Amino acid sequence: MQAVTLIPGCRAVPEPCLSQRRQAGPLAFTAGPSPVERRHRLVCKSAAISHSAVTTNGKSQALELSDLTAIGPLDGRYGSKVLPLRAIFSEYGLIRFRVLVECQWLKTLSRLEGVPEVPPFSSEAEALLDELSSNFSVEDAAEVKEVERTTNHDVKAVEYVIKRRLGRNAELAKVLEFTHFACTSEDINNLAHALMFKEALAGEVLPAMDTVIGAIAGLATEHAGVPMLARTHGQTASPTTMGKEMAVFAYRLARQRHQVAAVPLFGKFGGAVGNYNAHLSAYPDLDWQAIAEEFVTGLGLEWNPYVTQIEPHDYIAEVFDAMARFNTILLDFDRDVWGYISLGYFRQRTIAGEVGSSTMPHKVNPIDFENSEGNLGIANATLAHLAAKLPVSRWQRDLTDSTALRNLGVGVGHSLLAYSSALRGIGKLQLDAAKLAADLDAAWEVLAEPIQTVMRRHGVPEPYEKLKAFTRGNTVGKQSMAGFVGGVEGLPADARERLLELSPGTYIGNAQAQALDLTARLRALSRRA
């Protein structure tokens, strides 16, 4: 009697019993399952891994991937917020860019006079190649994955599917073996990854950064002249304005944004170890290095002339390090605004239907800034790991970068989530100018700084020590401060008058001017970038 193995997602296949295997002879017995059985088990094992299972009334049920069953929040809870990244950083996205590179390389070969075996393509053939790469679908990618189950090699599967498609055209069928010609897998992969970055940065990351910077710059302009009690070491300090403090973050973020944009995205196309060995063995008279440079730059990338089997990924580290600096500054912003909300400087607009606490009905929590901070932490942990790991590869290449590179979208995705959350939080902010004014009026001790400074100018002895004795650890108000100023000997009348007119709310230096000057400085920064 045969045992039947049932695995979710797989058809039932009889399992040969031990006596049947023995009857087949010792070689068959010691060799284990047949090739057909091995392939079936591999498919079943894959299906079992890719389908989560729950037990209901003793029966195992497969769970299809959805917002509810995804392991990671980028594909689950937050999936709708990072949808554009799916076409870029997913397995489909990687395959799509691989196909693009392969098709472009075949077109390049057809334009080389030194490769007569691949004559110039007709417009029909070129259009077919363009159609395959530009309209590559999820169904097409599924076909590649199906072939990969046999090849157990992802890039070779891409090559085979391309050949299958091109073989339907009489002209292209004659040059099928020039698909993936002289290439190592990393020639295709590294360009695909660079193109993924190119699309993600231009289409998603940089626009999102610009929106965040613009929103914070808007706060700087709107609240440029609103006085605010500063705090250093958590204690009262010389006043500033809310707008100027927002300007600090906008300018810092803008600098890092431009550094992200300034990183050149590199590519290589030098074969198995970067020396064009295979290329030169087939066509020794061609300048393959020049051909590779023209091919890579034609994709809108920078060409790296010195490589091994892989492009060393230094530029990826540069991009991620710059993104991490942007994220760190935004995290600093999130925490400061969280603190201002806690102090009552900002109120948050309430949204009908939202709940702040499951037990405290009054709560309006700063959840957007907290969500942003949390996602920035996860993003930076991933970005930092990849920035440190990817540039390191044993000798001419090891495979540790391969699995790491499949996580390029994780740090980017959590970064975009954080930007979105911060923007949502900024949109709810309402400044409480009365609260800021009340805090200032309760902190007349901060005028010790300008008073002792003016006293220094006019030669009054021991000004710092006198103000320290008067203010440190003491409660100081408007009247007591006026009394102190009135009693200082040696001050000119006009200087004394200016000090008596000073208040915590007017002692803001040029903070308002700095905030209002932000737009011009951001423009200047863009021009220099």
Side-chain angles (χ1 to χ4, degrees):
M1 181 178 178
Q2 292 180 321
V4 176
T5 304
L6 289 175
I7 301 176
C10 293
R11 60 185 174 82
V13 170
E15 182 76 18
C17 65
L18 186 62
S19 61
Q20 286 177 311
R21 290 186 179 172
R22 282 175 176 160
Q23 291 170 5
L27 183 60
F29 176 69
T30 57
S34 70
V36 172
E37 290 175 302
R38 283 197 298 270
R39 282 197 299 273
H40 173 73
R41 290 182 185 180
L42 181 61
V43 172
C44 290
K45 181 179 180 182
S46 175
I49 292 174
S50 62
H51 289 75
S52 302
V54 293
T55 301
T56 305
N57 297 326
K59 296 181 180 180
S60 181
Q61 296 181 341
L63 296 182
E64 295 295 334
L65 180 64
S66 72
D67 291 354
L68 293 174
T69 61
I71 295 174
L74 291 181
D75 293 312
R77 182 178 181 86
Y78 304 129
S80 62
K81 301 181 187 303
V82 292
L83 277 178
L85 294 186
R86 289 186 178 177
I88 302 172
F89 288 114
S90 64
E91 185 77 359
Y92 157 73
L94 176 58
I95 296 172
R96 176 169 66 94
F97 284 113
R98 283 168 169 164
V99 170
L100 186 152
V101 174
E102 294 276 16
C103 290
Q104 290 300 117
W105 179 233
L106 189 56
K107 288 168 62 176
T108 296
L109 291 174
S110 76
R111 296 163 186 166
L112 296 178
E113 292 183 2
V115 185
E117 291 79 5
V118 187
F121 291 151
S122 65
S123 58
E124 179 187 354
E126 292 245 353
L128 193 153
L129 287 166
D130 291 339
E131 170 74 15
L132 178 57
S133 59
S134 62
N135 293 319
F136 193 78
S137 67
V138 173
E139 291 72 25
D140 295 329
E143 183 180 346
V144 172
K145 296 303 289 183
E146 179 65 31
V147 173
E148 187 186 341
R149 291 193 181 97
T150 300
T151 63
N152 197 29
H153 194 289
D154 47 5
V155 177
K156 204 65 178 176
V158 170
E159 177 190 344
Y160 286 161
V161 169
I162 291 175
K163 285 181 175 180
R164 182 185 294 172
R165 298 296 181 83
L166 301 187
R168 300 168 187 169
N169 177 277
E171 179 182 357
L172 294 173
K174 297 175 183 178
V175 295
L176 286 186
E177 291 311 318
F178 282 87
T179 305
H180 200 71
F181 178 76
C183 295
T184 186
S185 295
E186 276 307 297
D187 285 333
I188 308 303
N189 284 335
N190 89 97
L191 296 180
H193 289 131
L195 291 171
M196 290 161 73
F197 268 104
K198 184 178 174 67
E199 187 168 311
L201 290 174
E204 304 300 330
V205 176
L206 293 175
M209 288 180 168
D210 288 338
T211 305
V212 170
I213 294 166
I216 298 175
L219 292 176
T221 300
E222 182 181 358
H223 306 309
V226 180
M228 180 179 79
L229 186 64
R231 284 175 169 79
T232 59
H233 310 281
Q235 309 303 307
T236 58
S238 301
T240 181
T241 70
M242 178 62 80
K244 182 263 175 177
E245 299 313 306
M246 296 296 102
V248 169
F249 285 110
Y251 192 79
R252 292 174 65 194
L253 288 167
R255 283 191 64 247
Q256 299 310 316
R257 180 266 184 222
H258 292 307
Q259 291 191 29
V260 172
V263 176
L265 308 180
F266 280 99
K268 58 84 69 171
F269 213 68
V273 292
N275 302 330
Y276 307 93
N277 305 50
H279 307 68
L280 290 167
S281 68
Y283 296 96
D285 297 328
L286 292 182
D287 186 351
W288 286 106
Q289 187 159 304
I291 292 168
E293 179 177 6
E294 184 177 354
F295 178 65
V296 171
T297 56
L299 294 172
L301 306 172
E302 296 283 332
W303 177 63
N304 190 341
Y306 290 100
V307 296
T308 58
Q309 183 172 103
I310 63 172
E311 199 289 322
H313 311 314
D314 298 336
Y315 82 87
I316 298 179
E318 293 171 32
V319 170
F320 281 171
D321 282 340
M323 282 188 65
R325 290 193 298 272
F326 183 98
N327 290 353
T328 297
I329 294 166
L330 185 59
L331 188 150
D332 193 21
F333 168 84
D334 288 337
R335 290 182 177 178
D336 274 16
V337 175
W338 187 98
Y340 294 143
I341 293 171
S342 181
L343 290 171
Y345 290 0
F346 282 117
R347 296 192 304 272
Q348 298 177 96
R349 293 185 180 88
T350 57
I351 297 177
E354 276 195 357
V355 174
S357 167
S358 64
T359 187
M360 295 175 281
H362 71 285
K363 296 293 289 292
V364 184
N365 295 327
I367 56 173
D368 297 308
F369 297 105
E370 292 170 340
N371 182 280
S372 177
E373 181 181 341
N375 275 293
L376 289 169
I378 296 171
N380 276 10
T382 305
L383 297 175
H385 170 70
L386 292 175
K389 187 272 153 298
L390 289 176
V392 179
S393 187
R394 295 173 181 85
W395 293 337
Q396 283 67 55
R397 195 268 168 102
D398 66 50
L399 202 63
T400 55
D401 67 330
S402 180
T403 188
L405 284 164
R406 293 183 184 277
N407 293 277
L408 293 179
V410 176
V412 175
H414 282 285
S415 295
L416 291 180
L417 276 177
Y419 306 162
S420 175
S421 293
L423 284 168
R424 190 165 54 251
I426 291 170
K428 296 178 182 178
L429 294 178
Q430 293 178 307
L431 191 73
D432 189 339
K435 174 60 178 174
L436 273 75
D439 269 12
L440 284 164
D441 196 49
W444 281 79
E445 68 274 9
V446 299
L447 295 185
E449 180 191 48
I451 293 171
Q452 66 95 8
T453 302
V454 173
M455 289 168 66
R456 282 174 185 270
R457 175 187 174 184
H458 295 288
V460 178
E462 299 184 330
Y464 178 88
E465 288 72 20
K466 288 176 180 177
L467 266 300
K468 176 183 175 183
F470 176 65
T471 60
R472 199 162 191 241
N474 300 321
T475 300
V476 179
K478 179 178 181 180
Q479 296 304 320
S480 60
M481 186 61 80
F484 178 88
V485 171
V488 175
E489 297 181 358
L491 274 182
D494 60 338
R496 192 187 309 274
E497 186 63 28
R498 284 198 306 274
L499 290 177
L500 288 171
E501 291 175 353
L502 201 60
S503 73
T506 60
Y507 180 52
I508 60 172
N510 73 338
Q512 181 174 2
Q514 287 191 49
L516 293 175
D517 197 34
L518 174 66
T519 301
R521 295 198 179 276
L522 290 178
R523 288 200 192 104
L525 194 61
S526 296
R527 287 194 296 269
R528 293 199 301 270

